[in-house]
Amino acid sequence: MNVFSLLERTARRWPNAGAVYLGGELVHSWAGLRDRALSLAVALRERGGAAVRVAIATDNCPEYLELMFGAWAAQAAVVPVNYKLHAREMAQIVEDADAAWVFASSGLADGLREALPAPWRERIVVIGSSGYQALFSAEPAELPVTDSQALAWLFYTSGTTGRSKGAMLSHRNLMAMTLAHLADVEAVNEDCSQIHAAPMSHGSGLYIPAYVARGARQVVPASQGFEPDEFLDLCDLHPGCGSFLAPTMVQRLRRAAQAAGRKPSGLRTIVYGGGPMYVEEMKKSLAVFGNVFAQIYGQGESPMTITWLRREDHAAGDDAILGSVGLPRTGVEVRVVGPDGRSLPPGETGEIVCRGDVVMSGYWRNAAGTDEVLRGDWLYTGDMGAFDARGYLTLRDRSKDVVISGGSNIYPREVEEALLTHPGVSEASVVGQPDAEWGEAVIAFIVRTPGVQVSVAELDANCLDRIARFKRPKRYLFIDALPKNSYGKVLKRALREQLDGGPGETR
Ligand code: AMP
């Protein structure tokens, strides 16, 4: 079983239908995409052999699709490289993966050439160059039989906690992810479109097999990134649009739609995840876009697939559900365990573990890292959470982000939720600071909403109304923007480093 088979079937069923678009412009039909991938596979195998790694370092572009499917048809594995990384970080990934081919956009190729040792430079092919086009000259070949356990996607973690590791995902893992997406999140068809606004090296790219399996259009914005107004235009242009967006992107889109008074006609589904979506923000987004949302909780090691919050759950009007990450995905077992590895009852917080066909087989060439997170066949996610009696999982925080003050565990997420109920708070992030008396003290970083007043006394009152007294921040620091990594995740480590930067305001 090879993920490529999804494209093969779609190309046979709808050979001439539009498959890949750049903005409103048609780039390939399904048959065209299949043939390009199959002829690229011939070139990849001739020069690199099978079972090699093919790195792709580019901002979103239509070529991503032929490269992905071409690599799979060659029985090679894709190494998606986040284009927002520093060239040195990219080079580190390329070297660690020992990639035989490095496909890079013209904007990134020079940096990579400088950052990689000399012998590696020959492996770089600039996407769109004449050398690149020459790789598509062979007659499309037959797809060879592929072992479903073969490596298909070597997914480097975002590295918020140190050096990134390559999660090894097989064709079987990607297929399990794809089936779960179609079963749980949304059943798309040939009248639908996927807009690639988030990086194709991450969430947006991982949804490609599900959309391709059903013949849904692949739309890359002309900006090759996320411009809220352009995104809204594309939703009016293409049918049945769905997209994966990080929570911060949902917020930007909501603001843009509100500012323009728009509700795009073709917007069908926004799947969000990858970081916390706060209840207040979700309510605002539901008011603007209607019931188009589904949330996923996953991680590179169990890609996009641990739990999901259904569309129906968003309409339930239940804040506890809206603040949760939903129910375990089809085909995935999820437990919350204590330090001894035993399951905890509903209501008790512990580490989230999961198992199923979607879970990686380990980290690439990193047995020690693998042993840390894969115990038996359970993946230890490093996320803390609790089930409720109905089976909804609420995520607390990464275990290392929990603040322990006066002997009590304080989960930053619930303090952040309380702070965000104030209209003057645009973004909030809470961390612990070493404290002689309490062990750790709760400190809140606040980004103000432009034009809205907010005082520490008001924020304190908001917290007193919603959470236990001891969880209230002891100090507030007002900053212009939260530090985020290239996937939009807040870097708490960077916030902790800022703690010595000034006194802030004490309540
Ligand atoms: P990555 O491997 O880069 O996708 O990061 C995965 C991590 O992002 C998870 O372990 C969680 O800590 C966080 N995460 C993913 N989905 C969600 C979500 N829906 N809500 C809150 N945090 C999330």
Side-chain angles (χ1 to χ4, degrees):
M1 174 60 80
N2 186 317
V3 183
F4 183 89
S5 60
L6 302 174
L7 171 60
E8 175 67 52
R9 223 175 291 171
T10 291
R12 203 172 308 151
R13 174 65 185 84
W14 298 286
N16 301 318
V20 183
Y21 291 79
L22 180 62
E25 219 174 282
L26 176 66
V27 181
H28 296 301
S29 65
W30 288 113
L33 176 63
R34 175 199 55 200
D35 291 349
R36 275 185 76 81
L38 284 173
S39 68
L40 173 64
V42 175
L44 294 183
R45 272 141 66 90
E46 266 172 13
R47 229 178 71 184
V52 297
R53 271 82 46 216
V54 174
I56 307 177
T58 171
D59 39 9
N60 290 355
C61 62
E63 289 86 352
Y64 221 105
L65 286 129
E66 62 200 22
L67 286 168
M68 270 170 83
F69 283 96
W72 288 333
Q75 294 185 312
V78 175
V79 186
V81 183
N82 176 2
Y83 69 90
K84 292 180 185 165
L85 292 177
H86 190 282
R88 268 203 296 274
E89 295 170 305
M90 290 191 200
Q92 221 173 57
I93 289 175
V94 166
E95 278 189 80
D96 188 70
D98 190 13
W101 297 85
V102 184
F103 288 98
S105 60
S106 54
L108 298 179
D110 285 347
L112 261 169
R113 248 182 233 119
E114 263 171 47
L116 280 166
W120 284 80
R121 293 175 196 155
E122 288 161 26
R123 304 187 191 183
I124 298 174
V125 179
V126 179
I127 297 170
S129 65
S130 54
Y132 179 80
Q133 296 306 348
L135 296 172
F136 294 86
S137 49
E139 275 299 301
E142 285 282 296
L143 180 68
V145 177
T146 305
D147 178 357
S148 58
Q149 303 289 7
L151 186 63
W153 194 255
L154 186 55
F155 196 25
Y156 280 80
T157 54
S158 47
T160 47
T161 54
R163 207 186 154 97
S164 74
K165 302 184 275 284
M168 293 191 288
L169 300 168
S170 64
H171 287 271
R172 186 191 191 89
N173 293 143
L174 296 190
M175 210 55 105
M177 173 195 74
T178 300
L179 291 176
H181 182 80
L182 294 171
D184 297 336
V185 181
E186 48 171 358
V188 290
N189 62 24
E190 70 274 23
D191 296 321
C192 294
S193 313
Q194 179 185 12
I195 303 182
H196 292 290
M200 292 167 89
S201 58
H202 201 269
S204 208
L206 282 167
Y207 281 160
I208 289 173
Y211 278 76
V212 167
R214 295 290 182 262
R217 289 180 185 190
Q218 296 292 309
V219 181
V220 178
S223 67
Q224 298 184 264
F226 177 58
E227 299 292 340
D229 289 317
E230 179 190 32
F231 184 96
L232 295 169
D233 291 341
L234 288 173
C235 290
D236 284 335
L237 198 63
H238 294 283
C241 290
S243 197
F244 172 79
L245 301 181
T248 50
M249 297 166 81
V250 175
Q251 190 185 42
R252 283 179 62 202
L253 190 68
R254 191 259 302 160
R255 286 188 178 145
Q258 253 173 333
R262 291 178 71 174
K263 185 175 171 185
S265 56
L267 178 60
R268 198 192 69 260
T269 308
I270 291 176
V271 182
Y272 63 91
M277 168 63 89
Y278 297 99
V279 172
E280 288 305 312
E281 177 54 41
M282 192 67 252
K283 285 182 178 168
K284 288 179 196 159
S285 295
L286 281 164
V288 171
F289 296 113
N291 194 17
V292 297
F293 293 97
Q295 182 188 184
I296 58 99
Y297 157 54
Q299 56 177 207
E301 294 80 351
S302 183
M304 315 301 275
T305 316
I306 299 175
T307 65
W308 98 114
L309 192 67
R310 305 168 311 150
R311 203 182 277 261
E312 295 84 335
D313 293 320
H314 286 81
D318 180 330
D319 280 7
I321 287 184
L322 207 53
S324 78
V325 292
L327 303 163
R329 297 290 297 276
T330 304
V332 182
E333 284 176 82
V334 185
R335 294 195 297 142
V336 167
V337 300
D340 59 0
R342 293 219 195 128
S343 293
L344 296 175
E348 281 190 33
T349 299
E351 184 167 358
I352 299 163
V353 303
C354 70
R355 71 174 171 190
D357 274 357
V358 72
V359 171
M360 68 162 185
S361 57
Y363 293 120
W364 176 252
R365 296 179 180 169
N366 184 346
T370 302
D371 291 345
E372 235 172 76
V373 300
L374 280 184
R375 302 181 214 159
D377 43 3
W378 292 96
L379 170 70
Y380 279 66
T381 64
D383 291 316
M384 304 298 283
F387 276 114
D388 72 7
R390 298 169 289 193
Y392 285 86
L393 182 69
T394 295
L395 216 60
R396 303 291 182 203
D397 288 276
R398 302 288 299 168
S399 45
K400 62 173 180 16
D401 290 329
V402 174
V403 182
I404 304 179
S405 188
S408 299
N409 282 5
I410 299 169
Y411 295 100
R413 170 84 185 258
E414 46 179 341
V415 184
E416 291 158 4
E417 293 272 13
L419 293 168
L420 282 159
T421 57
H422 193 293
V425 177
S426 166
E427 289 187 280
S429 190
V430 163
V431 296
Q433 179 175 32
D435 182 278
E437 191 182 350
W438 297 99
E440 276 186 300
V442 176
I443 315 292
F445 285 86
I446 304 287
V447 179
R448 289 190 177 95
T449 311
V452 186
Q453 290 298 317
V454 55
S455 69
V456 163
E458 285 166 357
L459 291 176
D460 196 45
N462 254 34
C463 290
L464 276 172
D465 271 355
R466 291 169 177 87
I467 52 174
R469 295 185 77 83
F470 71 90
K471 296 179 182 170
R472 289 176 301 150
K474 293 247 176 332
R475 196 151 70 94
Y476 290 88
L477 287 144
F478 292 89
I479 55 177
D480 292 337
L482 294 176
K484 291 180 185 150
N485 75 6
S486 50
Y487 285 125
K489 287 185 206 282
V490 175
L491 289 169
K492 296 223 165 179
R493 192 183 45 198
L495 283 176
R496 287 189 202 101
E497 281 163 12
Q498 287 184 35
L499 281 172
D500 302 328
E505 287 183 51
T506 309
R507 74 168 145 80

PDB file of all heavy atoms in Angstrom, residues 157-185:
ATOM      1  N   THR A 157       9.915  17.524  14.332  1.00  0.00           N
ATOM      2  CA  THR A 157       9.084  18.221  15.321  1.00  0.00           C
ATOM      3  C   THR A 157       9.465  19.700  15.338  1.00  0.00           C
ATOM      4  O   THR A 157      10.593  20.061  14.968  1.00  0.00           O
ATOM      5  CB  THR A 157       9.294  17.614  16.717  1.00  0.00           C
ATOM      6  OG1 THR A 157      10.698  17.642  16.998  1.00  0.00           O
ATOM      7  CG2 THR A 157       8.809  16.182  16.773  1.00  0.00           C
ATOM      8  N   SER A 158       8.526  20.516  15.837  1.00  0.00           N
ATOM      9  CA  SER A 158       8.759  21.960  15.717  1.00  0.00           C
ATOM     10  C   SER A 158       9.848  22.447  16.673  1.00  0.00           C
ATOM     11  O   SER A 158      10.285  23.579  16.587  1.00  0.00           O
ATOM     12  CB  SER A 158       7.462  22.732  15.894  1.00  0.00           C
ATOM     13  OG  SER A 158       6.758  22.287  17.010  1.00  0.00           O
ATOM     14  N   GLY A 159      10.269  21.603  17.582  1.00  0.00           N
ATOM     15  CA  GLY A 159      11.446  21.927  18.379  1.00  0.00           C
ATOM     16  C   GLY A 159      11.257  23.060  19.364  1.00  0.00           C
ATOM     17  O   GLY A 159      12.171  23.829  19.603  1.00  0.00           O
ATOM     18  N   THR A 160      10.037  23.163  19.971  1.00  0.00           N
ATOM     19  CA  THR A 160       9.853  24.199  21.002  1.00  0.00           C
ATOM     20  C   THR A 160      10.642  23.803  22.250  1.00  0.00           C
ATOM     21  O   THR A 160      10.867  24.607  23.122  1.00  0.00           O
ATOM     22  CB  THR A 160       8.362  24.356  21.383  1.00  0.00           C
ATOM     23  OG1 THR A 160       7.812  23.074  21.591  1.00  0.00           O
ATOM     24  CG2 THR A 160       7.591  25.098  20.330  1.00  0.00           C
ATOM     25  N   THR A 161      11.043  22.542  22.343  1.00  0.00           N
ATOM     26  CA  THR A 161      11.737  22.090  23.551  1.00  0.00           C
ATOM     27  C   THR A 161      13.165  21.653  23.247  1.00  0.00           C
ATOM     28  O   THR A 161      13.712  20.825  23.926  1.00  0.00           O
ATOM     29  CB  THR A 161      10.994  20.896  24.173  1.00  0.00           C
ATOM     30  OG1 THR A 161      10.837  19.916  23.160  1.00  0.00           O
ATOM     31  CG2 THR A 161       9.659  21.292  24.717  1.00  0.00           C
ATOM     32  N   GLY A 162      13.756  22.161  22.203  1.00  0.00           N
ATOM     33  CA  GLY A 162      15.146  21.798  21.924  1.00  0.00           C
ATOM     34  C   GLY A 162      15.308  21.354  20.487  1.00  0.00           C
ATOM     35  O   GLY A 162      14.494  21.691  19.630  1.00  0.00           O
ATOM     36  N   ARG A 163      16.362  20.570  20.223  1.00  0.00           N
ATOM     37  CA  ARG A 163      16.676  20.141  18.872  1.00  0.00           C
ATOM     38  C   ARG A 163      15.551  19.283  18.318  1.00  0.00           C
ATOM     39  O   ARG A 163      15.019  18.424  19.011  1.00  0.00           O
ATOM     40  CB  ARG A 163      17.959  19.306  18.963  1.00  0.00           C
ATOM     41  CG  ARG A 163      18.774  19.311  17.726  1.00  0.00           C
ATOM     42  CD  ARG A 163      19.909  18.318  17.927  1.00  0.00           C
ATOM     43  NE  ARG A 163      20.324  17.838  16.626  1.00  0.00           N
ATOM     44  CZ  ARG A 163      21.350  18.348  15.962  1.00  0.00           C
ATOM     45  NH1 ARG A 163      22.039  19.332  16.479  1.00  0.00           N
ATOM     46  NH2 ARG A 163      21.676  17.881  14.789  1.00  0.00           N
ATOM     47  N   SER A 164      15.212  19.507  17.041  1.00  0.00           N
ATOM     48  CA  SER A 164      14.053  18.784  16.530  1.00  0.00           C
ATOM     49  C   SER A 164      14.419  17.349  16.152  1.00  0.00           C
ATOM     50  O   SER A 164      15.552  17.055  15.790  1.00  0.00           O
ATOM     51  CB  SER A 164      13.406  19.548  15.383  1.00  0.00           C
ATOM     52  OG  SER A 164      14.163  19.445  14.238  1.00  0.00           O
ATOM     53  N   LYS A 165      13.426  16.469  16.291  1.00  0.00           N
ATOM     54  CA  LYS A 165      13.623  15.039  16.039  1.00  0.00           C
ATOM     55  C   LYS A 165      12.724  14.628  14.879  1.00  0.00           C
ATOM     56  O   LYS A 165      11.650  15.189  14.696  1.00  0.00           O
ATOM     57  CB  LYS A 165      13.225  14.233  17.283  1.00  0.00           C
ATOM     58  CG  LYS A 165      14.003  14.615  18.536  1.00  0.00           C
ATOM     59  CD  LYS A 165      13.650  13.739  19.723  1.00  0.00           C
ATOM     60  CE  LYS A 165      12.449  14.172  20.505  1.00  0.00           C
ATOM     61  NZ  LYS A 165      12.558  15.276  21.393  1.00  0.00           N
ATOM     62  N   GLY A 166      13.165  13.627  14.115  1.00  0.00           N
ATOM     63  CA  GLY A 166      12.398  13.207  12.939  1.00  0.00           C
ATOM     64  C   GLY A 166      11.427  12.072  13.281  1.00  0.00           C
ATOM     65  O   GLY A 166      11.862  10.941  13.493  1.00  0.00           O
ATOM     66  N   ALA A 167      10.137  12.386  13.322  1.00  0.00           N
ATOM     67  CA  ALA A 167       9.141  11.333  13.574  1.00  0.00           C
ATOM     68  C   ALA A 167       8.970  10.523  12.291  1.00  0.00           C
ATOM     69  O   ALA A 167       8.694  11.078  11.226  1.00  0.00           O
ATOM     70  CB  ALA A 167       7.818  11.957  13.997  1.00  0.00           C
ATOM     71  N   MET A 168       9.160   9.206  12.393  1.00  0.00           N
ATOM     72  CA  MET A 168       9.092   8.345  11.202  1.00  0.00           C
ATOM     73  C   MET A 168       7.655   7.891  10.971  1.00  0.00           C
ATOM     74  O   MET A 168       7.096   7.163  11.792  1.00  0.00           O
ATOM     75  CB  MET A 168       9.979   7.112  11.391  1.00  0.00           C
ATOM     76  CG  MET A 168      11.453   7.458  11.440  1.00  0.00           C
ATOM     77  SD  MET A 168      12.471   5.968  11.339  1.00  0.00           S
ATOM     78  CE  MET A 168      12.195   5.251  12.938  1.00  0.00           C
ATOM     79  N   LEU A 169       7.074   8.332   9.868  1.00  0.00           N
ATOM     80  CA  LEU A 169       5.690   7.973   9.557  1.00  0.00           C
ATOM     81  C   LEU A 169       5.676   7.141   8.276  1.00  0.00           C
ATOM     82  O   LEU A 169       6.249   7.538   7.257  1.00  0.00           O
ATOM     83  CB  LEU A 169       4.840   9.237   9.401  1.00  0.00           C
ATOM     84  CG  LEU A 169       4.800  10.108  10.668  1.00  0.00           C
ATOM     85  CD1 LEU A 169       4.207  11.471  10.380  1.00  0.00           C
ATOM     86  CD2 LEU A 169       4.017   9.416  11.774  1.00  0.00           C
ATOM     87  N   SER A 170       5.011   6.020   8.351  1.00  0.00           N
ATOM     88  CA  SER A 170       4.968   5.095   7.219  1.00  0.00           C
ATOM     89  C   SER A 170       3.729   5.385   6.350  1.00  0.00           C
ATOM     90  O   SER A 170       2.851   6.174   6.731  1.00  0.00           O
ATOM     91  CB  SER A 170       4.877   3.666   7.742  1.00  0.00           C
ATOM     92  OG  SER A 170       3.657   3.518   8.440  1.00  0.00           O
ATOM     93  N   HIS A 171       3.658   4.683   5.223  1.00  0.00           N
ATOM     94  CA  HIS A 171       2.454   4.783   4.391  1.00  0.00           C
ATOM     95  C   HIS A 171       1.229   4.360   5.198  1.00  0.00           C
ATOM     96  O   HIS A 171       0.160   4.952   5.085  1.00  0.00           O
ATOM     97  CB  HIS A 171       2.603   3.899   3.143  1.00  0.00           C
ATOM     98  CG  HIS A 171       3.570   4.472   2.155  1.00  0.00           C
ATOM     99  ND1 HIS A 171       3.185   5.356   1.171  1.00  0.00           N
ATOM    100  CD2 HIS A 171       4.906   4.330   2.025  1.00  0.00           C
ATOM    101  CE1 HIS A 171       4.253   5.713   0.464  1.00  0.00           C
ATOM    102  NE2 HIS A 171       5.306   5.101   0.962  1.00  0.00           N
ATOM    103  N   ARG A 172       1.414   3.351   6.016  1.00  0.00           N
ATOM    104  CA  ARG A 172       0.296   2.880   6.838  1.00  0.00           C
ATOM    105  C   ARG A 172      -0.160   3.974   7.819  1.00  0.00           C
ATOM    106  O   ARG A 172      -1.347   4.205   8.003  1.00  0.00           O
ATOM    107  CB  ARG A 172       0.759   1.645   7.615  1.00  0.00           C
ATOM    108  CG  ARG A 172      -0.334   0.974   8.398  1.00  0.00           C
ATOM    109  CD  ARG A 172       0.276  -0.057   9.349  1.00  0.00           C
ATOM    110  NE  ARG A 172      -0.742  -0.899   9.916  1.00  0.00           N
ATOM    111  CZ  ARG A 172      -1.151  -2.026   9.360  1.00  0.00           C
ATOM    112  NH1 ARG A 172      -0.614  -2.449   8.237  1.00  0.00           N
ATOM    113  NH2 ARG A 172      -2.105  -2.730   9.933  1.00  0.00           N
ATOM    114  N   ASN A 173       0.799   4.658   8.450  1.00  0.00           N
ATOM    115  CA  ASN A 173       0.459   5.750   9.361  1.00  0.00           C
ATOM    116  C   ASN A 173      -0.337   6.838   8.630  1.00  0.00           C
ATOM    117  O   ASN A 173      -1.366   7.326   9.119  1.00  0.00           O
ATOM    118  CB  ASN A 173       1.722   6.405   9.950  1.00  0.00           C
ATOM    119  CG  ASN A 173       2.520   5.509  10.872  1.00  0.00           C
ATOM    120  OD1 ASN A 173       3.756   5.555  10.884  1.00  0.00           O
ATOM    121  ND2 ASN A 173       1.857   4.685  11.662  1.00  0.00           N
ATOM    122  N   LEU A 174       0.151   7.213   7.444  1.00  0.00           N
ATOM    123  CA  LEU A 174      -0.526   8.294   6.705  1.00  0.00           C
ATOM    124  C   LEU A 174      -1.911   7.847   6.246  1.00  0.00           C
ATOM    125  O   LEU A 174      -2.862   8.649   6.202  1.00  0.00           O
ATOM    126  CB  LEU A 174       0.304   8.742   5.498  1.00  0.00           C
ATOM    127  CG  LEU A 174       1.673   9.365   5.786  1.00  0.00           C
ATOM    128  CD1 LEU A 174       2.248   9.971   4.520  1.00  0.00           C
ATOM    129  CD2 LEU A 174       1.611  10.428   6.878  1.00  0.00           C
ATOM    130  N   MET A 175      -2.025   6.572   5.916  1.00  0.00           N
ATOM    131  CA  MET A 175      -3.329   6.071   5.485  1.00  0.00           C
ATOM    132  C   MET A 175      -4.309   6.079   6.665  1.00  0.00           C
ATOM    133  O   MET A 175      -5.478   6.440   6.506  1.00  0.00           O
ATOM    134  CB  MET A 175      -3.148   4.649   4.931  1.00  0.00           C
ATOM    135  CG  MET A 175      -4.122   4.278   3.871  1.00  0.00           C
ATOM    136  SD  MET A 175      -4.153   5.427   2.482  1.00  0.00           S
ATOM    137  CE  MET A 175      -3.296   4.490   1.261  1.00  0.00           C
ATOM    138  N   ALA A 176      -3.835   5.681   7.851  1.00  0.00           N
ATOM    139  CA  ALA A 176      -4.697   5.691   9.041  1.00  0.00           C
ATOM    140  C   ALA A 176      -5.150   7.124   9.335  1.00  0.00           C
ATOM    141  O   ALA A 176      -6.313   7.377   9.666  1.00  0.00           O
ATOM    142  CB  ALA A 176      -3.947   5.107  10.234  1.00  0.00           C
ATOM    143  N   MET A 177      -4.229   8.071   9.184  1.00  0.00           N
ATOM    144  CA  MET A 177      -4.547   9.481   9.403  1.00  0.00           C
ATOM    145  C   MET A 177      -5.617   9.951   8.405  1.00  0.00           C
ATOM    146  O   MET A 177      -6.573  10.637   8.755  1.00  0.00           O
ATOM    147  CB  MET A 177      -3.263  10.303   9.241  1.00  0.00           C
ATOM    148  CG  MET A 177      -3.436  11.791   9.265  1.00  0.00           C
ATOM    149  SD  MET A 177      -1.951  12.623   8.642  1.00  0.00           S
ATOM    150  CE  MET A 177      -2.085  12.289   6.887  1.00  0.00           C
ATOM    151  N   THR A 178      -5.431   9.530   7.153  1.00  0.00           N
ATOM    152  CA  THR A 178      -6.346   9.939   6.087  1.00  0.00           C
ATOM    153  C   THR A 178      -7.747   9.371   6.317  1.00  0.00           C
ATOM    154  O   THR A 178      -8.760  10.084   6.204  1.00  0.00           O
ATOM    155  CB  THR A 178      -5.786   9.445   4.732  1.00  0.00           C
ATOM    156  OG1 THR A 178      -4.506  10.049   4.548  1.00  0.00           O
ATOM    157  CG2 THR A 178      -6.694   9.818   3.575  1.00  0.00           C
ATOM    158  N   LEU A 179      -7.802   8.099   6.655  1.00  0.00           N
ATOM    159  CA  LEU A 179      -9.110   7.473   6.903  1.00  0.00           C
ATOM    160  C   LEU A 179      -9.810   8.144   8.074  1.00  0.00           C
ATOM    161  O   LEU A 179     -11.015   8.400   8.028  1.00  0.00           O
ATOM    162  CB  LEU A 179      -8.927   5.976   7.207  1.00  0.00           C
ATOM    163  CG  LEU A 179      -8.481   5.128   6.027  1.00  0.00           C
ATOM    164  CD1 LEU A 179      -8.243   3.691   6.461  1.00  0.00           C
ATOM    165  CD2 LEU A 179      -9.527   5.174   4.925  1.00  0.00           C
ATOM    166  N   ALA A 180      -9.049   8.405   9.132  1.00  0.00           N
ATOM    167  CA  ALA A 180      -9.659   9.030  10.314  1.00  0.00           C
ATOM    168  C   ALA A 180     -10.162  10.432   9.968  1.00  0.00           C
ATOM    169  O   ALA A 180     -11.209  10.864  10.458  1.00  0.00           O
ATOM    170  CB  ALA A 180      -8.653   9.082  11.462  1.00  0.00           C
ATOM    171  N   HIS A 181      -9.441  11.126   9.102  1.00  0.00           N
ATOM    172  CA  HIS A 181      -9.892  12.468   8.717  1.00  0.00           C
ATOM    173  C   HIS A 181     -11.235  12.389   7.990  1.00  0.00           C
ATOM    174  O   HIS A 181     -12.178  13.123   8.310  1.00  0.00           O
ATOM    175  CB  HIS A 181      -8.863  13.164   7.824  1.00  0.00           C
ATOM    176  CG  HIS A 181      -9.275  14.548   7.447  1.00  0.00           C
ATOM    177  ND1 HIS A 181      -9.114  15.614   8.296  1.00  0.00           N
ATOM    178  CD2 HIS A 181      -9.896  15.033   6.343  1.00  0.00           C
ATOM    179  CE1 HIS A 181      -9.609  16.694   7.727  1.00  0.00           C
ATOM    180  NE2 HIS A 181     -10.092  16.378   6.536  1.00  0.00           N
ATOM    181  N   LEU A 182     -11.309  11.456   7.038  1.00  0.00           N
ATOM    182  CA  LEU A 182     -12.548  11.341   6.246  1.00  0.00           C
ATOM    183  C   LEU A 182     -13.698  10.807   7.102  1.00  0.00           C
ATOM    184  O   LEU A 182     -14.861  11.155   6.896  1.00  0.00           O
ATOM    185  CB  LEU A 182     -12.314  10.443   5.034  1.00  0.00           C
ATOM    186  CG  LEU A 182     -11.326  11.006   4.003  1.00  0.00           C
ATOM    187  CD1 LEU A 182     -10.982   9.957   2.961  1.00  0.00           C
ATOM    188  CD2 LEU A 182     -11.886  12.262   3.335  1.00  0.00           C
ATOM    189  N   ALA A 183     -13.364   9.960   8.072  1.00  0.00           N
ATOM    190  CA  ALA A 183     -14.419   9.385   8.911  1.00  0.00           C
ATOM    191  C   ALA A 183     -14.909  10.376   9.961  1.00  0.00           C
ATOM    192  O   ALA A 183     -16.106  10.459  10.241  1.00  0.00           O
ATOM    193  CB  ALA A 183     -13.898   8.126   9.607  1.00  0.00           C
ATOM    194  N   ASP A 184     -13.988  11.130  10.539  1.00  0.00           N
ATOM    195  CA  ASP A 184     -14.351  11.962  11.687  1.00  0.00           C
ATOM    196  C   ASP A 184     -14.608  13.418  11.310  1.00  0.00           C
ATOM    197  O   ASP A 184     -15.622  13.999  11.674  1.00  0.00           O
ATOM    198  CB  ASP A 184     -13.207  11.981  12.717  1.00  0.00           C
ATOM    199  CG  ASP A 184     -12.923  10.608  13.305  1.00  0.00           C
ATOM    200  OD1 ASP A 184     -13.817   9.756  13.293  1.00  0.00           O
ATOM    201  OD2 ASP A 184     -11.785  10.404  13.772  1.00  0.00           O
ATOM    202  N   VAL A 185     -13.651  13.998  10.647  1.00  0.00           N
ATOM    203  CA  VAL A 185     -13.635  15.459  10.541  1.00  0.00           C
ATOM    204  C   VAL A 185     -14.542  15.947   9.419  1.00  0.00           C
ATOM    205  O   VAL A 185     -15.390  16.813   9.616  1.00  0.00           O
ATOM    206  CB  VAL A 185     -12.185  15.976  10.360  1.00  0.00           C
ATOM    207  CG1 VAL A 185     -12.172  17.495  10.287  1.00  0.00           C
ATOM    208  CG2 VAL A 185     -11.309  15.504  11.505  1.00  0.00           C
TER     209      VAL A 185
END
